[in-house]
Amino acid sequence: MAHSTTLQPNAAPASYVDAPRTGTWDGGNEPFKASYGKLMMWFFLLSDTFTFGAFLTAYGLIRHKHGVFAGQAKDFFFSTAHWPIPEKVFNSFPGLHGMDLPLAFVALMTMILIFSSVTMVLAVEAGHRMDKADVQKWLLWTILFGSMFLSSQAIEWTHFISGEGEGTLMADGTVMHGANLTMNQYGPPLFADLFFFITGFHGTHVLSGVCLLVWCFIATTNGTFEKRGHYEMIEKIGLYWHFVDLVWVFVFTFFYLV
Amino acid sequence: MSNHAEELALHPGEIAKPNTAWIWKTFWILVIITAAEFAIAFTMTSPGLRTLRNSIFIVMTVLKAFFIVGEFMHLKHEAKSLIWTILIPTALLIWLVVALVTEGSYVGEVLSHMFSS
């Protein structure tokens, strides 16, 4: 009767509480053939997709509301009258002052995040094989790349806020350097607002991911997952981590390339 | 490919050999697509080609998303019902983007004519 699907309220055996619940209606059935935890992670990520989708859609609307720079890219200048060309805003590299290196730093950040995704999936693969040492190794690499990405973003933000060059003459006659939430030297005020909110929200996700990975590393080292008999927690955190990488792929395209 | 971990008969305490070829294959696909995106960003700079350029970027981004979600997040190898549960709500976002980008252009046009007549 272990796999019975009929409800028998009076016939529950005395050992029912201790027995594993394997019936269709008492928890033995896995919807979509995925475990509870993985399924809930997928649903959370779906809701997060809508959050970032809303951000990027708002970016699309606001960008199309503003005018496009009409001339050739080489004649481009900063003004609140038109939306900036991303290559002209994000063109510096830490330590190489005054050089025009369009999108070089963001390329590095993208590579760091792709690498972290690879080391994460290697940790998941090692978990499948119950290889504790390999899980630890790849988790550490992932934490390292995640921290590198966060540091790069800190540098990027610092540079964006403090600004570079001569600044831009604003409508009130003052010269603006860098950016804040109400005005910036690069273009319309909303350009900087969207930069802060979209990359900031993504950066917060990376930070949460790094914290979860550190916790995973401690649990792996303590043998928590080995005692449990599986490394599914690494898989669940891995899903989250790949999602963060996925969001960056979209932020990269719509904020930096298009 | 439904289960990447090889299920060979192992002695107790023995650890299976890593099976990572598919991971590095996906990695190289992602790197090559990203490199191509940069190449296009610096070679197709003419304003007349803007729409074509942006269309290529969007196709490449969706392609990268396919490999990250399908392989790294393993969705390609999950149950069909789970795949559709994730993809159908996400597909609604395409409509949202198209609708609001169109709306944005219209708002911009209205605002630019508001004070000129």
Side-chain angles (χ1 to χ4, degrees), chain B residues 7-86:
Chain B
E7 282 177 28
L8 300 168
L10 293 169
H11 301 293
E14 193 190 345
I15 290 167
K17 287 267 174 295
N19 172 23
T20 56
W22 65 278
I23 300 173
W24 290 109
K25 196 182 131 203
T26 313
F27 164 75
W28 282 115
I29 292 169
L30 291 176
V31 169
I32 289 166
I33 296 175
T34 309
E37 280 180 333
F38 275 104
I40 291 168
F42 294 126
T43 49
M44 282 177 74
T45 48
S46 154
L49 295 171
R50 255 185 93 86
T51 313
L52 177 67
R53 190 175 98 126
N54 291 351
S55 310
I56 294 173
F57 282 149
I58 289 165
V59 169
M60 286 179 139
T61 305
V62 172
L63 205 61
K64 280 205 280 189
F66 171 79
F67 282 104
I68 292 173
V69 178
E71 294 293 344
F72 283 177
M73 294 171 88
H74 214 257
L75 189 64
K76 232 169 113 184
H77 314 288
E78 301 285 356
K80 276 240 163 58
S81 44
L82 177 56
I83 297 177
W84 288 115
T85 306
I86 303 300

Side-chain angles (χ1 to χ4, degrees), chain A residues 32-34 38-39 42-43 45-46 49-50 53 57 60-61 63-65 68 71-72 87 102-103 107 110-111 114-115 117-118 121-122 125 128-131 134 239 242-243 245-246 249-250 252-254 257-258, chain B residues 5 15-20 22-24 27 30-31 34 37-38 41-42 47 50 53-54 57-58 61 64-65 68-69 72-73 75 78-79 81-82 85-86 89-90 93 96-97 100-101 103-105 107-108 111:
Chain A
F32 304 138
K33 296 196 186 80
K38 263 205 261 184
L39 205 52
W42 271 110
F43 290 157
L45 294 181
L46 190 57
T49 307
F50 285 114
T57 308
L61 188 150
R63 182 167 177 169
H64 278 255
K65 175 180 165 279
V68 182
Q72 291 287 327
E87 287 156 42
L103 303 182
T110 305
M111 280 314 297
I114 290 178
F115 263 117
S117 235
V118 170
V121 80
L122 286 167
E125 198 270 343
H128 280 149
R129 296 183 286 111
M130 300 294 290
D131 188 338
D134 257 21
L239 280 178
H242 295 311
F243 175 76
D245 180 27
L246 180 69
V249 165
F250 281 87
F252 172 64
T253 302
F254 292 112
L257 283 183
V258 169
Chain B
I15 290 167
K17 287 267 174 295
N19 172 23
T20 56
W22 65 278
I23 300 173
W24 290 109
F27 164 75
L30 291 176
V31 169
T34 309
E37 280 180 333
F38 275 104
F42 294 126
R50 255 185 93 86
R53 190 175 98 126
N54 291 351
F57 282 149
I58 289 165
T61 305
K64 280 205 280 189
I68 292 173
V69 178
F72 283 177
M73 294 171 88
L75 189 64
E78 301 285 356
S81 44
L82 177 56
T85 306
I86 303 300
T90 310
L93 280 175
L96 183 71
V97 170
L100 287 193
V101 163
E103 197 68 12
S105 307
V107 169
L111 285 179

